[in-house]
Amino acid sequence: MTVATAPLRILIGKVGLDGHDRGVKLIARALRDAGMEVIYTGLHQSPEQIVNTAIQEDVDAIGLSVLSGAHNTLFRRVLELLRAQGADDIVVFGGGIIPNEDVPALKGAGVKALFGPGTPLDDIVRFVKELPRSR
Amino acid sequence: MTRFGIHLNKLDKQVDSASTLAELVKQGQVRAVARLITLLERGEQEGHDALRLLEVDAPRAAIIGVTGYPGAGKSTVVDQLVAAYRRLGHKVGVLAVDMTSPLTGGALLGDRIRMQRHTLDQGVYIRSLATRGHHGGLAAVTGEAVSVLEAAGYDVIFIETVGVGQGELDIATVAPAVVAIVAPGLGDEVQAMKAGLLEVAHVIVVNKGDHPEADRTLRELKEWHRSVLKVTAMTGQGIPELIAAIAEQQRLHDLEGAPTRAAP
Ligand code: B12
Ligand SMILES: Nc1nc2c(ncn2[C@@H]2O[C@H](COP(=O)(O)OP(=O)(O)OP(=O)(O)O)[C@@H](O)[C@H]2O)c(=O)[nH]1
Ligand SMILES: [Mg+2]
């Protein structure tokens, strides 16, 4: 059946003034190689751009990469904008340099998972593949 | 009453039948537009039902195909054209097609990176499509997606094909105005283009006009095609002339009285 075999569509992006893009490109490639359709936004996106892109592209999930230290505000803003647009069925996850002490609060705010430096790519691919198919 | 999935998400609660979905698309609601394209991409019945409801009174848009070699600057040219048509007051849709890997079924959809400045503009809708095994340089859903955008009120619609070599020329059947983008320094490729891009394209753009070989490539191509222009998409130089050339093609096409495009 077509529905079951349709590839997952995942937005992978960099938010804010953060030029570290090695990790995010690795993730984008790994997800593509795992059979997903990856929409890569490039650097320096605002939370508003991320959310509008996600809606236009009808993605299943948004993966954000933040190594700038601004993760607390950026992830929360993205979640807030998704809610405001009635699009909070889109899963938000991410990675980068995110201190352990910030993780529980971000998860509490609605970030599904966070992956730090050294995470095997397979773990990330498995997490995305196992996301509940909401549509 | 039809449901889109086992789990209901917010939009599904809102949109529980093809006719509601069609209605929201006609109102120009972006989420509904995006979802309908997804349903059509998956070949779901609800999508086809909604599409049928839309086509009854779909308005006609100007459809502009942008094709050409990989990396020649197709997306950057589209970005500039979107800005220009917005200034003219049009509502602009973009369908940007990239290749699905035949090995993994995955795709990296990167065309819109060059167009992200339009993401916050309510008058612009950009959708990346993967070929999903379809040959010819487009996604199988492209024609249907055009109809959805037309119904949602987008009156100028760009279709960026995958980076083509030869033979991927489906764009000619979907768009009455086809622009082919090449980069300077073609060399022997001009020969190959004669039975391909040069045949289907109405306008040839030598992009990267800042490149030292641009003028030579321009001269070479002018021997083979009546409408060849030099553009520097990076700076926007030559874009007004490109818009005039597209308008001329649209005028010729209308004079011929041909249908705007083949049925999707
Ligand atoms: C390489 C590097 C750079 C390069 C970046 C090159 C590039 N194009 O990416 C350069 C030299 C340009 C650079 C500059 C700067 N850097 Co720097 N940089 C690093 C360094 C050494 C490695 C980062 C890296 O590439 N790692 C390899 C990749 C593969 O790992 P990763 O990005 O972490 O990704 C993995 C995971 O995090 C996760 N992941 C990442 N993103 C995502 C996204 C998703 C969706 C998922 C699921 C997972 C995921 O998966 C990946 C694979 O496991 C780190 C230190 C470190 N050890 O991390 C500092 C570091 C990130 N930089 C830092 C700083 C401060 C800077 C500068 C501000 C320095 C300065 N004063 O000029 C500038 C800012 C540049 C800018 N414009 O943003 C700090 C950040 C501090 C903070 N956040 O609190 C760090 C942590 C160094 C430190 N200890 O102080 N930097
Ligand atoms: N020097 C120069 N570079 C340009 C110009 N226009 C585009 N480029 C660069 O050419 C590269 C490819 O541009 P894109 O617009 O992505 O090309 P494309 O044809 O859409 O590429 P694919 O979709 O991958 O086939 C980018 O690095 C652009 O910045 C130009 O006018 N001059
Ligand atoms: Mg492109």
Side-chain angles (χ1 to χ4, degrees):
Chain A
M1 212 171 81
T2 40
V3 184
T5 54
L8 280 166
R9 289 174 64 87
I10 312 290
L11 183 158
I12 295 293
K14 291 285 309 178
V15 250
L17 300 170
D18 175 6
H20 297 93
D21 63 356
R22 289 187 192 165
V24 77
K25 285 179 172 166
L26 275 180
I27 304 296
R29 245 178 291 138
L31 296 180
R32 176 199 63 186
D33 292 345
M36 299 173 202
E37 291 181 1
V38 177
I39 293 102
Y40 178 54
T41 62
L43 294 169
H44 306 313
Q45 300 296 296
S46 67
E48 287 78 6
Q49 283 177 303
I50 293 288
V51 169
N52 279 12
T53 302
I55 289 174
Q56 291 180 16
E57 297 285 356
D58 197 28
V59 296
D60 300 283
I62 300 175
L64 299 178
S65 167
V66 187
L67 284 77
S68 65
H71 45 273
N72 285 326
T73 28
L74 292 173
F75 276 103
R76 280 194 175 77
R77 183 77 183 132
V78 166
L79 290 162
E80 194 180 288
L81 290 165
L82 284 172
R83 269 196 300 277
Q85 301 235 33
D88 48 341
D89 52 305
I90 299 174
V91 170
V92 176
F93 66 106
I97 304 291
I98 301 179
N100 287 335
E101 59 265 30
D102 290 342
V103 171
L106 283 172
K107 286 192 174 166
V111 179
K112 186 97 175 177
L114 290 163
F115 301 92
T119 311
L121 292 175
D122 284 349
D123 290 4
I124 295 170
V125 167
R126 193 171 327 112
F127 161 80
V128 180
K129 274 191 169 165
E130 287 171 2
L131 285 174
R133 291 261 183 159
S134 63
R135 32 176 102 152
Chain B
M1 206 149 61
T2 41
R3 298 286 182 187
F4 295 149
I6 299 158
H7 307 277
L8 292 181
N9 64 36
K10 286 216 164 162
L11 190 72
D12 294 339
K13 275 178 228 153
Q14 215 177 316
V15 182
D16 54 8
S17 72
S19 63
T20 322
L21 185 58
E23 200 43 53
L24 290 173
V25 167
K26 282 186 206 164
Q27 290 167 17
Q29 222 223 55
V30 177
R31 270 218 109 186
V33 167
R35 181 58 54 86
L36 178 51
I37 293 174
T38 302
L39 292 175
L40 291 166
E41 227 179 354
R42 293 182 188 165
E44 295 208 33
Q45 191 56 46
E46 286 88 339
H48 293 293
D49 292 345
L51 184 64
R52 210 167 308 126
L53 292 168
L54 289 178
E55 272 175 344
V56 181
D57 49 1
R60 285 195 163 179
I63 300 160
I64 302 164
V66 179
T67 187
Y69 293 113
K74 297 181 291 298
S75 304
T76 314
V77 169
V78 170
D79 170 72
Q80 291 284 3
L81 289 173
V82 170
Y85 281 94
R86 284 297 289 148
R87 280 194 294 272
L88 295 170
H90 294 285
K91 207 175 155 192
V92 182
V94 179
L95 300 170
V97 187
D98 268 312
M99 273 284 278
T100 295
S101 158
L103 295 178
T104 66
L108 202 49
L109 306 174
D111 290 323
R112 72 175 295 145
I113 295 179
R114 316 268 174 226
M115 313 174 193
Q116 278 301 85
R117 65 170 161 151
H118 301 296
T119 312
L120 296 181
D121 182 348
Q122 300 292 322
V124 178
Y125 175 84
I126 304 170
R127 175 66 174 248
S128 312
L129 298 171
T131 54
R132 297 192 181 180
H134 189 79
H135 299 287
L138 296 176
V141 78
T142 309
E144 292 176 339
V146 166
S147 300
V148 174
L149 294 184
E150 283 187 307
Y154 295 91
D155 59 343
V156 174
I157 298 171
F158 291 98
I159 302 170
E160 178 181 340
T161 72
V162 303
V164 301
Q166 293 158 53
E168 298 108 332
L169 302 172
D170 276 7
I171 189 66
T173 64
V174 187
V178 175
V179 180
I181 317 284
V182 301
L186 280 174
D188 292 345
E189 284 163 67
V190 176
Q191 300 303 320
M193 280 175 73
K194 283 184 214 162
L197 285 183
L198 284 170
E199 272 183 321
V200 301
H202 304 101
V203 182
I204 307 278
V205 165
V206 177
N207 185 38
K208 312 197 187 186
D210 51 323
H211 192 285
E213 283 196 62
D215 286 318
R216 194 162 66 86
T217 305
L218 186 74
R219 277 196 306 275
E220 281 170 12
L221 289 173
K222 276 187 169 165
E223 291 172 19
W224 297 104
H225 198 284
R226 66 179 177 83
S227 180
V228 190
L229 298 171
K230 186 170 79 168
V231 165
T232 307
M234 204 83 112
T235 61
Q237 208 164 9
I239 294 294
E241 291 80 1
L242 174 54
I243 286 178
I246 292 170
E248 173 65 9
Q249 163 56 22
Q250 287 164 336
R251 197 182 60 83
L252 289 176
H253 184 267
D254 289 348
L255 281 181
E256 285 165 17
T260 309
R261 70 192 144 85

